[in-house]
Amino acid sequence: MIYLVYGEQELLVNKMIDKIAKDTLKDIDEFNYIVLDAYKNDASYVINELESFCFSSDKKVVSLTNSYFLTNNNTQGPYESELIEKYLENETQDTT
């Protein structure tokens, strides 16, 4: 399952993401709740995390922060968003 959480107020966005994680995962740890930053992680790395198996849980939540490529205010330059778009078109049922 894919969620897009966007908003101007970072506190509310983070609360919503935490709620999704708590509702999805039995126990939250660093292996099943991954937070990535689009400024620091390229699309290939993000997709690798999305596809990797989690040993500590049957589900995993991956949060991608600073997803500037989704906005009109793209001041960071090109991002391989087409790779993420292609992945999302073929998402697996175990991805949340």
Side-chain angles (χ1 to χ4, degrees), residues 1-57:
M1 192 174 303
I2 305 291
Y3 295 96
L4 175 62
V5 181
Y6 175 80
E8 301 269 329
Q9 297 181 354
E10 188 175 349
L11 179 64
L12 293 177
V13 169
N14 289 337
K15 280 186 176 183
M16 179 58 76
I17 294 169
D18 287 343
K19 181 177 178 0
I20 291 168
K22 288 176 184 173
D23 290 347
T24 303
L25 304 170
K26 295 176 187 173
D27 296 310
I28 297 175
D29 61 36
E30 69 268 17
F31 302 110
N32 64 5
Y33 184 32
I34 311 295
V35 179
L36 302 174
D37 187 332
Y39 291 137
K40 298 176 184 175
N41 303 111
D42 65 15
S44 298
Y45 186 83
V46 172
I47 291 169
N48 186 51
E49 281 295 333
L50 290 169
E51 292 179 335
S52 67
F53 182 75
C54 181
F55 293 104
S56 65
S57 175

Side-chain angles (χ1 to χ4, degrees), residues 41-96:
N41 303 111
D42 65 15
S44 298
Y45 186 83
V46 172
I47 291 169
N48 186 51
E49 281 295 333
L50 290 169
E51 292 179 335
S52 67
F53 182 75
C54 181
F55 293 104
S56 65
S57 175
D58 60 338
K59 293 188 178 186
K60 178 168 70 169
V61 173
V62 177
S63 173
L64 181 62
T65 63
N66 297 317
S67 301
Y68 61 87
F69 56 90
L70 296 174
T71 69
N72 289 333
N73 189 17
N74 184 353
T75 59
Q76 295 298 311
Y79 192 82
E80 302 164 315
S81 57
E82 67 277 353
L83 293 175
I84 292 179
E85 289 172 21
K86 186 175 180 180
Y87 175 82
L88 294 176
E89 289 174 2
N90 300 311
E91 77 167 283
T92 62
Q93 293 291 25
D94 294 332
T95 304
T96 299

